[in-house]
Amino acid sequence: MLENGSVTPVVRAPMHAGHQPKVEVQCGRALPAFDTVDRMNSILSALELDTCSKLVDPAENIDLMAAMARVHEPGLIRFIENAWQEVPREHDELDLIFADTFLHPGLKSPGSAAQDNGTEMHFGRYAFDTITGIGPGTWSAARGSVASALTAAELVAGGHQLALALCRPPGHHVTSSVFGGGCYLNNAAITAQWLTDHGSAKVAVIDVDFHHGNGTQAIFYDRADVIYASLHGDPSRSYPFFTGYADETGESIGKGANINVPLPPEANGVTYLDRLGHALEKIDQLSPDIVVVSLGFDTYRDDPAGDAQLETPDYEDIGNAISSLGKPMVALLEGGYWTPSLGANVAGWLTGAANRGK
């Protein structure tokens, strides 16, 4: 049992290693997958040297399916769980299956109703891109990712000021009904909903991944009890392209609770921290009582997934800036694909967030 405040708990689920995509398909080309097992190995190696954090396993008493169902449609959950066994595949030796035909609104005649009968196991009903394949270990890894996130949430709800969940696969691109961007279940949204269900009056989700968290935004866009704020590559040039513009500020009672901060090309640490500071001021004005951090590191200068130019010391500053809100924090790993520096970047962020640095 961890004593509150003695160390920072870091939750990791060993079943992440069963998710081993070799490729992702972009513009019809099979490219080496970004989300590799080596990402976690890099982080764990770095944290072994950190005497102020402690690795813990996911709790076994959390009703994961109920928590998922508070955010995701039942059909999406069933699909992720069963796709590998039930989606037809031409060759049994395939280690990953992808969508190729999508349920696009433009397919339908005006006024026609959706024809969903018999299509539940058709990949393109639930996937929105070709990047995101499913393999034999994907469901177990995605489920373990949610378990890690909710264990971190439980630890913070129980009195820890900060807990980090090493979620792999990541989650912030998944909406209530479709998945993509290398994500399968939205760990941040599930966690934010769990926190509101367990007594939090207002949760702020701060997304510092290089890519806009279209899924988290969509899930909470018309709500005021969950604030969503994201710093990300400008969608005019960065995935997911269709969401994340500054004028997307929420709707209905959620108007003003959605904050998008697109970054200029090749943003450095000074630019990033300046824009983060402005976003944090807006969040502070909305008075959340707890913070969920969608913690991406693909803003690093060598990362293959973005064009930002952050250096390793910048992540300690980012962690410190977010901690200046003075709220309990549940941090959940999202992207970050330059493995030689990923461990050091995570360790630096953790130092800043725990206020044990400069």
Side-chain angles (χ1 to χ4, degrees), residues 207-210 293-299 315 332-336:
D207 194 330
V208 293
D209 189 273
F210 179 79
V293 184
S294 271
L295 185 58
F297 294 90
D298 40 5
T299 48
Y315 293 103
L332 313 176
L333 183 66
E334 298 282 0

Side-chain angles (χ1 to χ4, degrees), residues 6-284:
S6 58
V7 294
T8 300
V10 177
V11 192
R12 52 84 174 92
M15 61 278 288
H16 84 89
H19 178 59
Q20 299 187 29
K22 294 178 182 176
V23 299
E24 53 189 59
V25 180
Q26 296 188 35
C27 297
R29 297 171 299 164
L31 304 177
F34 286 162
D35 185 17
T36 64
V37 173
D38 284 345
R39 297 178 63 226
M40 197 68 76
N41 295 339
S42 173
I43 296 169
L44 294 175
S45 294
L47 294 184
E48 283 177 359
L49 306 175
D50 182 5
T51 58
C52 295
S53 64
K54 180 176 178 60
L55 292 175
V56 297
D57 293 325
E60 297 182 357
N61 61 344
I62 302 172
D63 190 340
L64 299 179
M65 297 299 280
M68 294 175 201
R70 291 286 290 137
V71 167
H72 295 304
E73 292 182 4
L76 172 66
I77 299 169
R78 283 195 299 268
F79 179 81
I80 302 296
E81 181 179 10
N82 299 311
W84 179 253
Q85 289 78 23
E86 297 189 25
V87 170
R89 49 188 192 272
E90 190 174 342
H91 303 290
D92 287 341
E93 67 270 18
L94 291 176
D95 57 9
L96 214 59
I97 49 177
F98 292 90
D100 58 12
T101 306
F102 298 87
L103 182 60
H104 190 285
L107 283 171
K108 311 178 74 55
S109 300
S112 66
Q115 299 298 313
D116 285 343
N117 291 337
T119 64
E120 189 159 278
M121 282 300 142
H122 282 220
F123 216 127
R125 178 180 176 183
Y126 295 109
F128 67 80
D129 66 19
T130 61
I131 292 172
T132 314
I134 287 180
T138 299
W139 165 250
S140 177
R143 196 173 185 276
S145 202
V146 172
S148 298
L150 292 181
T151 300
E154 277 197 336
L155 288 165
V156 172
H160 283 273
Q161 186 69 13
L162 170 66
L164 169 63
L166 298 179
C167 296
R168 181 182 175 269
H172 69 154
H173 292 305
V174 188
T175 73
S176 62
S177 58
V178 292
F179 71 95
C183 305
Y184 303 90
L185 299 164
N186 194 319
N187 306 307
I190 293 168
T191 298
Q193 184 62 56
W194 186 93
L195 289 167
T196 63
D197 290 341
H198 288 77
S200 292
K202 188 176 289 187
V203 178
V205 180
I206 302 175
D207 194 330
V208 293
D209 189 273
F210 179 79
H211 304 95
H212 181 243
N214 59 288
T216 312
Q217 171 173 292
I219 289 166
F220 299 116
Y221 202 62
D222 61 354
R223 288 173 55 172
D225 60 338
V226 179
I227 305 157
Y228 178 69
S230 175
L231 282 75
H232 50 267
D234 194 304
S236 65
R237 68 177 197 281
S238 304
Y239 184 93
F241 304 111
F242 301 106
T243 67
Y245 290 92
D247 62 358
E248 297 165 20
T249 59
E251 63 185 12
S252 185
I253 61 171
K255 191 72 174 174
N258 197 85
I259 302 161
N260 283 316
V261 184
L263 297 169
E266 300 187 346
N268 62 18
V270 173
T271 298
Y272 195 96
L273 287 161
D274 177 69
R275 299 200 178 193
L276 176 61
H278 289 299
L280 293 174
E281 287 177 10
K282 293 181 180 180
I283 292 167
D284 193 41

